[in-house]
Amino acid sequence: MVSQIEKRKADHLRLSATKDVSFHEKTTLLECVELNYKCLPQISMNDVDLSTEFLGKKFSFPFIVSAITGGAAVSKKVNTDIAEACQAIGIGMGLGSMRAMLQHPSLTETYFVRDVAPDIFLAGNIGAAQLKQFSPDDLNGALGAIEADALAIHLNAAQEAVQPEGDADFSGLIEKIAEFADKISVPVYVKEVGHGVSYEVAFALKDTKIKAIDTQGAGGTSWTAVDSLRHKTGFGEIFRDFGLPTAVSLMQVKSAIHGTGKKVIASGGIRNGIDAVKALVLGADMVGSAMPMLKAQTKNGSAGIKKQLTDLKKEMEIASFLVGCKNIAQLHSEKPIILGKLKEWMEN
Ligand SMILES: Cc1cc2nc3c(=O)[nH]c(=O)nc-3n(C[C@H](O)[C@H](O)[C@H](O)COP(=O)(O)O)c2cc1C
């Protein structure tokens, strides 16, 4: 049984890093957001400081490496490489679903990164559909064992629905999320896995104690596409392009939770610092991405991820400078220019 889980996790990593698992038709729609370029920014680029705090932890810039893995021997190396890079740069990371370690505690080791990353923001992870299988106490024990700072609950209806053996019973899960947000000993946030959180879902979660929503919108990695490679008999390929573009998801989530104090992470297809800054101008508190980090890790280990993150930070600083903003608060007061398909989508 353990080796079956290990095989699934290793398959996910290998297929994602080597095959085409991206959206084909749909994009993030961040290309429909223009930044208001100031050719005379009236600040020095040295004054740009994008450092921030998120759920009680400090970040040198507002970036989280999205959940990728846990549960296989190969996960240990991937998580350690990501964690080392995050510790060096001063940002946070999400671990992959903890289902494997909850079922097989011997796999806990594959998630543990505090030896190399004592200070980073570290999020544990579990699927919403699995909240029926485990108790808040089970999760609290597991989160304690890996010394996590938060729990990300992932919503992956599209992924479960296209798998031949997926668990697509999502009934009663808003209530379950509310219960876990109450009883988990660290802050809880909700994330998608690449098909986007909509207004309705964010609104339904508005009165729970979750602290943030991570859009994980369409336009980057398609989890239905990943599954189509694992299950030739499933419906993954047909649903490759299903979901809400990241820019749409971000604007809808912002609007749904307005005034609650909950934070928003923009993610799903964020591939450079300009897109990341566009997301901040649209109101995101943080940004995140998974695939570019996995690819950098596969090629060059921790050094590859460090280079990727250093470049991303610099790109974000340059983009902020070019719109005349020194920090995230100023970016939040910038007016985004919204064009084309994104404008049409938001008018619906
Ligand atoms: C190999 C791999 C494994 C993943 N495993 C998980 C997971 O266990 N839990 C989760 O919430 N998201 C998981 N994700 C989804 C990512 O966190 C993210 O939502 C998705 O890849 C979209 O972001 P991207 O376009 O930047 O890759 C995984 C992604 C990849 C590439």
Side-chain angles (χ1 to χ4, degrees):
M1 185 62 183
V2 172
S3 61
Q4 224 175 19
I5 291 175
E6 293 218 32
K7 183 177 177 330
R8 192 175 66 231
K9 297 288 167 181
D11 277 356
H12 278 156
L13 286 171
R14 183 180 46 79
L15 293 170
S16 301
T18 58
K19 304 278 184 201
D20 171 17
V21 291
S22 56
F23 281 74
H24 280 174
E25 307 291 333
K26 204 166 264 170
T27 65
T28 62
L29 290 189
L30 284 166
E31 70 277 14
C32 296
V33 181
E34 285 292 333
L35 295 171
N36 192 7
Y37 171 49
K38 320 276 185 342
C39 60
L40 205 165
Q42 285 284 69
I43 57 169
S44 160
M45 198 154 95
N46 290 334
D47 295 337
V48 176
D49 176 5
L50 298 179
S51 63
T52 190
E53 221 184 279
F54 180 71
L55 304 186
K57 283 267 170 148
K58 288 194 187 329
F59 286 68
S60 68
F61 74 110
F63 192 81
I64 297 179
V65 178
S66 305
I68 296 180
T69 197
V74 59
S75 312
K76 174 76 183 173
K77 164 85 174 122
V78 175
N79 281 334
T80 300
D81 283 350
I82 297 172
E84 256 175 32
C86 289
Q87 175 76 22
I89 308 277
I91 58 154
M93 73 178 274
L95 295 161
S97 168
M98 293 156 72
R99 174 159 56 161
M101 68 174 276
L102 282 157
Q103 287 170 338
H104 304 283
S106 63
L107 297 173
T108 302
E109 226 263 310
T110 65
Y111 299 78
F112 191 81
V113 294
R114 282 301 187 201
D115 47 342
V116 296
D119 306 311
I120 65 166
F121 170 85
L122 183 67
N125 184 290
I126 192 75
Q130 276 87 58
L131 297 181
K132 292 171 289 183
Q133 265 170 266
F134 304 107
S135 70
D137 279 350
D138 293 337
L139 258 301
N140 279 331
L143 290 161
I146 56 170
E147 299 175 33
D149 298 305
L151 173 66
I153 298 178
H154 70 251
L155 310 177
N156 64 340
Q159 183 190 359
E160 297 285 356
V162 300
Q163 286 176 10
E165 84 291 6
D167 178 359
D169 179 4
F170 275 59
S171 48
L173 289 186
I174 301 262
E175 293 76 7
K176 271 281 169 206
I177 292 170
E179 180 199 340
F180 276 69
D182 249 351
K183 295 184 179 160
I184 291 295
S185 49
V186 290
V188 172
Y189 68 95
V190 165
K191 77 184 279 291
E192 233 282 342
V193 297
H195 299 274
V197 179
S198 64
Y199 179 91
E200 289 76 8
V201 171
F203 193 81
L205 293 168
K206 188 166 85 93
D207 296 323
T208 68
K209 289 191 181 153
I210 63 161
K211 299 285 187 221
I213 294 181
D214 184 351
T215 63
Q216 299 291 352
T221 308
S222 163
W223 264 88
T224 46
V226 176
D227 261 294
S228 77
L229 296 171
R230 285 194 62 242
H231 305 281
K232 301 280 183 245
T233 55
F235 293 88
E237 186 53 38
I238 301 272
F239 284 88
R240 177 188 286 262
D241 276 286
F242 201 79
L244 275 93
T246 295
V248 174
S249 176
L250 171 57
M251 292 176 78
Q252 291 196 0
V253 169
K254 273 301 286 181
S255 146
I257 63 171
H258 180 73
T260 61
K262 296 188 197 309
K263 304 280 184 190
V264 183
I265 307 170
S267 59
I270 300 283
R271 297 294 179 261
N272 59 58
I274 304 175
D275 278 355
V277 165
K278 286 179 179 179
L280 295 177
V281 169
L282 288 177
D285 300 288
M286 302 286 290
V287 288
S289 72
M291 187 59 81
M293 306 303 149
L294 177 59
K295 289 205 161 142
Q297 190 278 335
T298 309
K299 248 177 139 180
N300 276 322
S302 181
I305 305 170
K306 258 183 239 168
K307 162 96 172 77
Q308 186 85 17
L309 290 170
T310 309
D311 287 352
L312 185 75
K313 181 166 184 270
K314 190 70 196 170
E315 289 163 15
M316 288 178 73
E317 287 165 356
I318 295 171
S320 301
F321 170 67
L322 294 178
V323 290
C325 293
K326 288 184 189 171
N327 52 43
I328 297 174
Q330 291 184 358
L331 286 168
H332 282 169
S333 357
E334 260 301 290
K335 191 169 160 13
I337 302 161
I338 296 168
L339 306 169
K341 208 165 170 183
L342 179 57
K343 195 169 174 201
E344 273 175 48
W345 198 309
M346 296 316 296
E347 281 166 1
N348 266 301

PDB file of all heavy atoms in Angstrom, residues 266-291:
ATOM      1  N   ALA A 266      -2.684  35.081  -5.026  1.00  0.00           N
ATOM      2  CA  ALA A 266      -2.946  34.901  -6.459  1.00  0.00           C
ATOM      3  C   ALA A 266      -1.979  33.866  -7.006  1.00  0.00           C
ATOM      4  O   ALA A 266      -0.764  34.005  -6.852  1.00  0.00           O
ATOM      5  CB  ALA A 266      -2.764  36.213  -7.203  1.00  0.00           C
ATOM      6  N   SER A 267      -2.515  32.845  -7.644  1.00  0.00           N
ATOM      7  CA  SER A 267      -1.649  31.779  -8.156  1.00  0.00           C
ATOM      8  C   SER A 267      -2.369  31.018  -9.248  1.00  0.00           C
ATOM      9  O   SER A 267      -3.564  31.175  -9.451  1.00  0.00           O
ATOM     10  CB  SER A 267      -1.291  30.823  -7.023  1.00  0.00           C
ATOM     11  OG  SER A 267      -2.494  30.309  -6.515  1.00  0.00           O
ATOM     12  N   GLY A 268      -1.584  30.167  -9.921  1.00  0.00           N
ATOM     13  CA  GLY A 268      -2.086  29.451 -11.099  1.00  0.00           C
ATOM     14  C   GLY A 268      -1.525  30.169 -12.309  1.00  0.00           C
ATOM     15  O   GLY A 268      -2.013  31.230 -12.694  1.00  0.00           O
ATOM     16  N   GLY A 269      -0.442  29.651 -12.867  1.00  0.00           N
ATOM     17  CA  GLY A 269       0.122  30.230 -14.087  1.00  0.00           C
ATOM     18  C   GLY A 269       0.909  31.508 -13.895  1.00  0.00           C
ATOM     19  O   GLY A 269       1.211  32.186 -14.878  1.00  0.00           O
ATOM     20  N   ILE A 270       1.284  31.840 -12.667  1.00  0.00           N
ATOM     21  CA  ILE A 270       2.151  33.020 -12.468  1.00  0.00           C
ATOM     22  C   ILE A 270       3.561  32.603 -12.899  1.00  0.00           C
ATOM     23  O   ILE A 270       4.154  31.702 -12.308  1.00  0.00           O
ATOM     24  CB  ILE A 270       2.152  33.465 -10.980  1.00  0.00           C
ATOM     25  CG1 ILE A 270       0.744  33.830 -10.498  1.00  0.00           C
ATOM     26  CG2 ILE A 270       3.158  34.609 -10.755  1.00  0.00           C
ATOM     27  CD1 ILE A 270       0.201  35.146 -10.913  1.00  0.00           C
ATOM     28  N   ARG A 271       4.072  33.255 -13.934  1.00  0.00           N
ATOM     29  CA  ARG A 271       5.326  32.789 -14.506  1.00  0.00           C
ATOM     30  C   ARG A 271       6.428  33.839 -14.529  1.00  0.00           C
ATOM     31  O   ARG A 271       7.554  33.544 -14.941  1.00  0.00           O
ATOM     32  CB  ARG A 271       5.100  32.264 -15.941  1.00  0.00           C
ATOM     33  CG  ARG A 271       4.174  31.042 -15.982  1.00  0.00           C
ATOM     34  CD  ARG A 271       4.816  29.836 -15.293  1.00  0.00           C
ATOM     35  NE  ARG A 271       3.960  28.665 -15.286  1.00  0.00           N
ATOM     36  CZ  ARG A 271       3.203  28.264 -14.256  1.00  0.00           C
ATOM     37  NH1 ARG A 271       3.206  28.950 -13.112  1.00  0.00           N
ATOM     38  NH2 ARG A 271       2.468  27.175 -14.333  1.00  0.00           N
ATOM     39  N   ASN A 272       6.131  35.081 -14.163  1.00  0.00           N
ATOM     40  CA  ASN A 272       7.193  36.095 -14.082  1.00  0.00           C
ATOM     41  C   ASN A 272       6.761  37.219 -13.140  1.00  0.00           C
ATOM     42  O   ASN A 272       5.608  37.263 -12.688  1.00  0.00           O
ATOM     43  CB  ASN A 272       7.540  36.632 -15.479  1.00  0.00           C
ATOM     44  CG  ASN A 272       6.332  37.248 -16.151  1.00  0.00           C
ATOM     45  OD1 ASN A 272       5.726  38.181 -15.611  1.00  0.00           O
ATOM     46  ND2 ASN A 272       5.953  36.750 -17.309  1.00  0.00           N
ATOM     47  N   GLY A 273       7.728  38.104 -12.872  1.00  0.00           N
ATOM     48  CA  GLY A 273       7.484  39.165 -11.896  1.00  0.00           C
ATOM     49  C   GLY A 273       6.475  40.204 -12.354  1.00  0.00           C
ATOM     50  O   GLY A 273       5.851  40.869 -11.530  1.00  0.00           O
ATOM     51  N   ILE A 274       6.307  40.346 -13.667  1.00  0.00           N
ATOM     52  CA  ILE A 274       5.320  41.329 -14.155  1.00  0.00           C
ATOM     53  C   ILE A 274       3.915  40.815 -13.834  1.00  0.00           C
ATOM     54  O   ILE A 274       3.069  41.552 -13.311  1.00  0.00           O
ATOM     55  CB  ILE A 274       5.479  41.594 -15.672  1.00  0.00           C
ATOM     56  CG1 ILE A 274       6.897  42.055 -15.984  1.00  0.00           C
ATOM     57  CG2 ILE A 274       4.452  42.633 -16.148  1.00  0.00           C
ATOM     58  CD1 ILE A 274       7.189  42.221 -17.470  1.00  0.00           C
ATOM     59  N   ASP A 275       3.667  39.531 -14.131  1.00  0.00           N
ATOM     60  CA  ASP A 275       2.361  38.953 -13.787  1.00  0.00           C
ATOM     61  C   ASP A 275       2.118  39.037 -12.279  1.00  0.00           C
ATOM     62  O   ASP A 275       1.006  39.300 -11.829  1.00  0.00           O
ATOM     63  CB  ASP A 275       2.291  37.484 -14.233  1.00  0.00           C
ATOM     64  CG  ASP A 275       1.940  37.360 -15.711  1.00  0.00           C
ATOM     65  OD1 ASP A 275       1.655  38.395 -16.351  1.00  0.00           O
ATOM     66  OD2 ASP A 275       1.969  36.222 -16.230  1.00  0.00           O
ATOM     67  N   ALA A 276       3.171  38.781 -11.511  1.00  0.00           N
ATOM     68  CA  ALA A 276       3.027  38.814 -10.053  1.00  0.00           C
ATOM     69  C   ALA A 276       2.638  40.220  -9.585  1.00  0.00           C
ATOM     70  O   ALA A 276       1.751  40.385  -8.734  1.00  0.00           O
ATOM     71  CB  ALA A 276       4.324  38.366  -9.391  1.00  0.00           C
ATOM     72  N   VAL A 277       3.267  41.242 -10.169  1.00  0.00           N
ATOM     73  CA  VAL A 277       2.946  42.618  -9.769  1.00  0.00           C
ATOM     74  C   VAL A 277       1.544  43.005 -10.254  1.00  0.00           C
ATOM     75  O   VAL A 277       0.804  43.699  -9.565  1.00  0.00           O
ATOM     76  CB  VAL A 277       4.050  43.595 -10.248  1.00  0.00           C
ATOM     77  CG1 VAL A 277       3.593  45.045 -10.196  1.00  0.00           C
ATOM     78  CG2 VAL A 277       5.287  43.404  -9.372  1.00  0.00           C
ATOM     79  N   LYS A 278       1.167  42.522 -11.443  1.00  0.00           N
ATOM     80  CA  LYS A 278      -0.209  42.769 -11.903  1.00  0.00           C
ATOM     81  C   LYS A 278      -1.198  42.205 -10.877  1.00  0.00           C
ATOM     82  O   LYS A 278      -2.207  42.833 -10.560  1.00  0.00           O
ATOM     83  CB  LYS A 278      -0.452  42.096 -13.265  1.00  0.00           C
ATOM     84  CG  LYS A 278       0.219  42.802 -14.435  1.00  0.00           C
ATOM     85  CD  LYS A 278      -0.057  42.038 -15.721  1.00  0.00           C
ATOM     86  CE  LYS A 278       0.578  42.705 -16.930  1.00  0.00           C
ATOM     87  NZ  LYS A 278       0.326  41.943 -18.174  1.00  0.00           N
ATOM     88  N   ALA A 279      -0.899  41.007 -10.362  1.00  0.00           N
ATOM     89  CA  ALA A 279      -1.792  40.392  -9.360  1.00  0.00           C
ATOM     90  C   ALA A 279      -1.868  41.253  -8.095  1.00  0.00           C
ATOM     91  O   ALA A 279      -2.939  41.425  -7.511  1.00  0.00           O
ATOM     92  CB  ALA A 279      -1.317  38.982  -9.032  1.00  0.00           C
ATOM     93  N   LEU A 280      -0.722  41.835  -7.683  1.00  0.00           N
ATOM     94  CA  LEU A 280      -0.732  42.698  -6.495  1.00  0.00           C
ATOM     95  C   LEU A 280      -1.574  43.944  -6.767  1.00  0.00           C
ATOM     96  O   LEU A 280      -2.336  44.392  -5.909  1.00  0.00           O
ATOM     97  CB  LEU A 280       0.690  43.081  -6.082  1.00  0.00           C
ATOM     98  CG  LEU A 280       1.597  41.930  -5.614  1.00  0.00           C
ATOM     99  CD1 LEU A 280       2.995  42.448  -5.299  1.00  0.00           C
ATOM    100  CD2 LEU A 280       1.035  41.209  -4.400  1.00  0.00           C
ATOM    101  N   VAL A 281      -1.439  44.497  -7.972  1.00  0.00           N
ATOM    102  CA  VAL A 281      -2.232  45.690  -8.325  1.00  0.00           C
ATOM    103  C   VAL A 281      -3.727  45.342  -8.345  1.00  0.00           C
ATOM    104  O   VAL A 281      -4.570  46.158  -7.977  1.00  0.00           O
ATOM    105  CB  VAL A 281      -1.753  46.288  -9.676  1.00  0.00           C
ATOM    106  CG1 VAL A 281      -2.708  47.338 -10.194  1.00  0.00           C
ATOM    107  CG2 VAL A 281      -0.356  46.887  -9.511  1.00  0.00           C
ATOM    108  N   LEU A 282      -4.045  44.099  -8.715  1.00  0.00           N
ATOM    109  CA  LEU A 282      -5.453  43.676  -8.674  1.00  0.00           C
ATOM    110  C   LEU A 282      -5.917  43.404  -7.243  1.00  0.00           C
ATOM    111  O   LEU A 282      -7.076  43.073  -7.023  1.00  0.00           O
ATOM    112  CB  LEU A 282      -5.665  42.411  -9.513  1.00  0.00           C
ATOM    113  CG  LEU A 282      -5.613  42.548 -11.040  1.00  0.00           C
ATOM    114  CD1 LEU A 282      -5.777  41.180 -11.707  1.00  0.00           C
ATOM    115  CD2 LEU A 282      -6.687  43.497 -11.558  1.00  0.00           C
ATOM    116  N   GLY A 283      -5.003  43.494  -6.274  1.00  0.00           N
ATOM    117  CA  GLY A 283      -5.412  43.386  -4.870  1.00  0.00           C
ATOM    118  C   GLY A 283      -4.914  42.166  -4.129  1.00  0.00           C
ATOM    119  O   GLY A 283      -5.249  41.970  -2.955  1.00  0.00           O
ATOM    120  N   ALA A 284      -4.112  41.309  -4.784  1.00  0.00           N
ATOM    121  CA  ALA A 284      -3.590  40.132  -4.075  1.00  0.00           C
ATOM    122  C   ALA A 284      -2.640  40.562  -2.962  1.00  0.00           C
ATOM    123  O   ALA A 284      -1.944  41.575  -3.085  1.00  0.00           O
ATOM    124  CB  ALA A 284      -2.852  39.218  -5.050  1.00  0.00           C
ATOM    125  N   ASP A 285      -2.616  39.790  -1.870  1.00  0.00           N
ATOM    126  CA  ASP A 285      -1.677  40.056  -0.774  1.00  0.00           C
ATOM    127  C   ASP A 285      -0.378  39.291  -0.987  1.00  0.00           C
ATOM    128  O   ASP A 285       0.688  39.694  -0.514  1.00  0.00           O
ATOM    129  CB  ASP A 285      -2.297  39.622   0.561  1.00  0.00           C
ATOM    130  CG  ASP A 285      -3.568  40.380   0.834  1.00  0.00           C
ATOM    131  OD1 ASP A 285      -3.473  41.584   1.143  1.00  0.00           O
ATOM    132  OD2 ASP A 285      -4.667  39.800   0.692  1.00  0.00           O
ATOM    133  N   MET A 286      -0.498  38.161  -1.662  1.00  0.00           N
ATOM    134  CA  MET A 286       0.660  37.292  -1.922  1.00  0.00           C
ATOM    135  C   MET A 286       0.476  36.701  -3.309  1.00  0.00           C
ATOM    136  O   MET A 286      -0.640  36.671  -3.826  1.00  0.00           O
ATOM    137  CB  MET A 286       0.679  36.090  -0.951  1.00  0.00           C
ATOM    138  CG  MET A 286       0.713  36.389   0.506  1.00  0.00           C
ATOM    139  SD  MET A 286       2.322  36.959   1.056  1.00  0.00           S
ATOM    140  CE  MET A 286       3.295  35.466   0.914  1.00  0.00           C
ATOM    141  N   VAL A 287       1.559  36.172  -3.880  1.00  0.00           N
ATOM    142  CA  VAL A 287       1.440  35.381  -5.102  1.00  0.00           C
ATOM    143  C   VAL A 287       2.148  34.040  -4.871  1.00  0.00           C
ATOM    144  O   VAL A 287       2.907  33.897  -3.912  1.00  0.00           O
ATOM    145  CB  VAL A 287       2.029  36.097  -6.339  1.00  0.00           C
ATOM    146  CG1 VAL A 287       1.188  37.244  -6.787  1.00  0.00           C
ATOM    147  CG2 VAL A 287       3.450  36.535  -6.099  1.00  0.00           C
ATOM    148  N   GLY A 288       1.883  33.099  -5.785  1.00  0.00           N
ATOM    149  CA  GLY A 288       2.516  31.796  -5.630  1.00  0.00           C
ATOM    150  C   GLY A 288       2.603  31.079  -6.955  1.00  0.00           C
ATOM    151  O   GLY A 288       1.910  31.421  -7.906  1.00  0.00           O
ATOM    152  N   SER A 289       3.485  30.089  -7.024  1.00  0.00           N
ATOM    153  CA  SER A 289       3.483  29.208  -8.191  1.00  0.00           C
ATOM    154  C   SER A 289       4.160  27.889  -7.839  1.00  0.00           C
ATOM    155  O   SER A 289       4.946  27.804  -6.885  1.00  0.00           O
ATOM    156  CB  SER A 289       4.138  29.862  -9.406  1.00  0.00           C
ATOM    157  OG  SER A 289       5.524  29.941  -9.229  1.00  0.00           O
ATOM    158  N   ALA A 290       3.825  26.868  -8.625  1.00  0.00           N
ATOM    159  CA  ALA A 290       4.360  25.527  -8.374  1.00  0.00           C
ATOM    160  C   ALA A 290       5.280  25.063  -9.502  1.00  0.00           C
ATOM    161  O   ALA A 290       6.468  24.800  -9.286  1.00  0.00           O
ATOM    162  CB  ALA A 290       3.203  24.537  -8.202  1.00  0.00           C
ATOM    163  N   MET A 291       4.745  24.972 -10.723  1.00  0.00           N
ATOM    164  CA  MET A 291       5.476  24.319 -11.814  1.00  0.00           C
ATOM    165  C   MET A 291       6.866  24.897 -12.089  1.00  0.00           C
ATOM    166  O   MET A 291       7.833  24.136 -12.256  1.00  0.00           O
ATOM    167  CB  MET A 291       4.622  24.343 -13.087  1.00  0.00           C
ATOM    168  CG  MET A 291       5.226  23.557 -14.216  1.00  0.00           C
ATOM    169  SD  MET A 291       5.483  21.819 -13.787  1.00  0.00           S
ATOM    170  CE  MET A 291       3.828  21.226 -14.058  1.00  0.00           C
TER     171      MET A 291
END
